[in-house]
Amino acid sequence: MSNKGSSDLRLLLSTLVISGLVAGLAYWQLSQRWTPSPDQNGGSPTETTSKWQKIALATTLRGHQDEVNAIALSPDGNLLVSGGDDRKLYFWNLATGTALGQATGHTDWIYALVITPDGQTVISGSKDKTIKLWGVSDRQLQATLSGHQDFVNGLALSPDGRTLASASYDHTVKLWDLPSRQEITTLKGNEGIMLSVAISRDGRFLATGGVDKLIRIWDLPSRRLLRTLEGHTSDVNSLAFTPDNSQLVSGSDKDGIKVWNLTTGELQHQFGSEGGQVFSVAVSPDGSTIASGHGDQTVKLWSLSGQSLRTLKGHSGAVYSVIFGQDQLISASEDRTIKVWRLFPGSS
């Protein structure tokens, strides 16, 4: 090989080495940019992620003067409503993280919130035994539904926005016709304090749970009890259907999270008890991921089979409510704050 050829080869090798170092540095900087800080993500690098390759804390909403028990997101994902022990509803612009205003009228703690499918009405359930309907645009009280004899702990709304289900400390689950704002019926068969209700996306199934440790599945149109799911050994605090209506996720005080097959009634998976009480569960819009709010101040993400995906840290109190947006996860806490976590999809 000539001296000129040797020089060219050395130049080529030097260029390749330098290019590799530059590319490696760029990759390291990018990974540092998108990796959440330790106080946001307690998950180890070896944990499997879901469709979201990175999760980072986008903002913390502050304004509540006491514990935040419930949150609800508008169908378009722009409005967040929250309620808690300070007895007020707070309205937030989720895109900017700014407070829009408050609504007052409850005389005791607010435990549950839902927003109608048309995005026009917020419905709240309270320790004052009432359910209240509020206008989204003006934040004014529209109506009060009375009938429960104790705390209203859980609310669920049918996909058409016509039927409301409410769970109460008075041992009942009631169904309400929203257009007429009248009570339809009290479901027969529930026993003990009722804590949670959920309605499937197709409007066919209603699930109820409470301190009797049982989950009951109802045919919502006929209000007929279809089956009872047994297996929990403690209070059933939260329920969520998967988007395809094939599974039900439940969260409890001592048993963690359970995933049930709705066709057979069989328990498919159980996990998550190491985080203490599970106060809230939610399923992502694509049905791939479960989020749970725990008594150990964390939010956890799981696959439907129970594989741990991520643990989000940052709250300084128990996490009472979690909900998914399209590319967000929102959590409300005993620490008086609401955290909005941004979900970054991976390349596919």
Side-chain angles (χ1 to χ4, degrees):
M1 184 179 293
S2 67
N3 288 336
K4 182 178 184 301
S6 299
S7 297
D8 290 343
L9 180 61
R10 286 195 296 271
L11 179 60
L12 177 61
L13 291 174
S14 298
T15 301
L16 290 173
V17 170
I18 293 171
S19 298
L21 290 172
V22 171
L25 178 60
Y27 176 81
W28 180 85
Q29 290 174 329
L30 184 62
S31 67
Q32 292 301 301
R33 177 185 177 190
W34 292 116
T35 300
S37 61
D39 66 337
Q40 297 170 1
N41 182 355
S44 67
T46 58
E47 284 183 326
T48 303
T49 59
S50 62
K51 60 173 280 190
W52 301 291
Q53 294 303 304
K54 302 296 175 185
I55 302 175
L57 179 62
T59 188
T60 298
L61 304 179
R62 305 178 189 278
H64 277 277
Q65 301 302 304
D66 214 325
E67 301 176 7
V68 187
N69 301 321
I71 45 179
L73 188 63
S74 63
D76 62 10
N78 294 327
L79 174 73
L80 181 75
V81 182
S82 57
D85 287 6
D86 56 9
R87 308 175 184 182
K88 300 176 183 178
L89 273 69
Y90 290 69
F91 293 70
W92 311 87
N93 181 317
L94 206 53
T96 62
T98 56
L100 300 174
Q102 302 173 10
T104 59
H106 280 296
T107 59
D108 216 322
W109 303 344
I110 297 168
Y111 280 139
L113 291 170
V114 291
I115 298 179
T116 53
D118 62 8
Q120 299 302 306
T121 306
V122 181
I123 306 172
S124 56
S126 170
K127 187 179 178 182
D128 67 12
K129 308 177 186 179
T130 70
I131 299 165
K132 293 185 182 295
L133 282 63
W134 313 81
V136 165
S137 59
D138 59 8
R139 298 184 292 279
Q140 295 300 305
L141 180 63
Q142 296 178 340
T144 297
L145 307 182
S146 300
H148 280 296
Q149 302 303 307
D150 213 326
F151 310 171
V152 180
N153 306 297
L155 295 173
L157 195 57
S158 63
D160 63 8
R162 297 184 62 87
T163 304
L164 177 73
S166 58
S168 173
Y169 254 57
D170 66 9
H171 299 198
T172 70
V173 171
K174 292 182 180 293
L175 299 180
W176 309 80
D177 178 72
L178 280 189
S180 67
R181 297 171 180 174
Q182 297 296 314
E183 180 181 336
I184 299 172
T185 190
T186 297
L187 295 179
K188 306 298 182 183
N190 290 304
E191 297 178 6
I193 293 170
M194 303 308 299
L195 300 173
S196 50
V197 287
I199 294 176
S200 60
R201 184 169 294 188
D202 61 4
R204 179 183 174 188
F205 300 115
L206 167 70
T208 64
V211 300
D212 67 358
K213 310 168 190 176
L214 300 175
I215 299 169
R216 293 174 176 85
I217 308 297
W218 308 78
D219 180 83
L220 184 58
S222 67
R223 302 187 287 277
R224 180 171 58 92
L225 180 62
L226 298 176
R227 65 171 74 245
T228 300
L229 307 180
E230 300 181 18
H232 277 295
T233 63
S234 60
D235 299 358
V236 179
N237 295 321
S238 183
L239 296 164
F241 286 95
T242 56
D244 65 2
N245 314 303
S246 67
Q247 295 169 296
L248 179 72
V249 181
S250 56
S252 69
D253 272 0
K254 298 178 181 178
D255 308 314
I257 300 161
K258 293 179 185 287
V259 179
W260 309 82
N261 183 306
L262 284 179
T263 301
T264 64
E266 294 178 351
L267 176 63
Q268 292 183 304
H269 307 286
Q270 179 176 346
F271 50 91
S273 59
E274 67 279 359
Q277 289 174 284
V278 178
F279 290 108
S280 180
V281 292
V283 181
S284 61
D286 70 346
S288 70
T289 309
I290 297 169
S292 53
H294 292 256
D296 68 356
Q297 307 178 4
T298 66
V299 177
K300 299 180 187 296
L301 295 179
W302 316 85
S303 70
L304 266 291
S305 62
Q307 184 178 19
S308 176
L309 302 176
R310 200 68 63 90
T311 298
L312 306 179
K313 297 181 179 180
H315 281 295
S316 58
V319 179
Y320 290 145
S321 185
V322 291
I323 56 174
F324 277 100
Q326 285 300 320
D327 60 354
Q328 295 163 321
L329 176 64
I330 307 165
S331 54
S333 172
E334 178 186 24
D335 66 11
R336 306 183 181 187
T337 72
I338 301 158
K339 292 188 180 294
V340 181
W341 310 86
R342 178 75 185 277
L343 310 175
F344 295 96
S347 59
S348 56

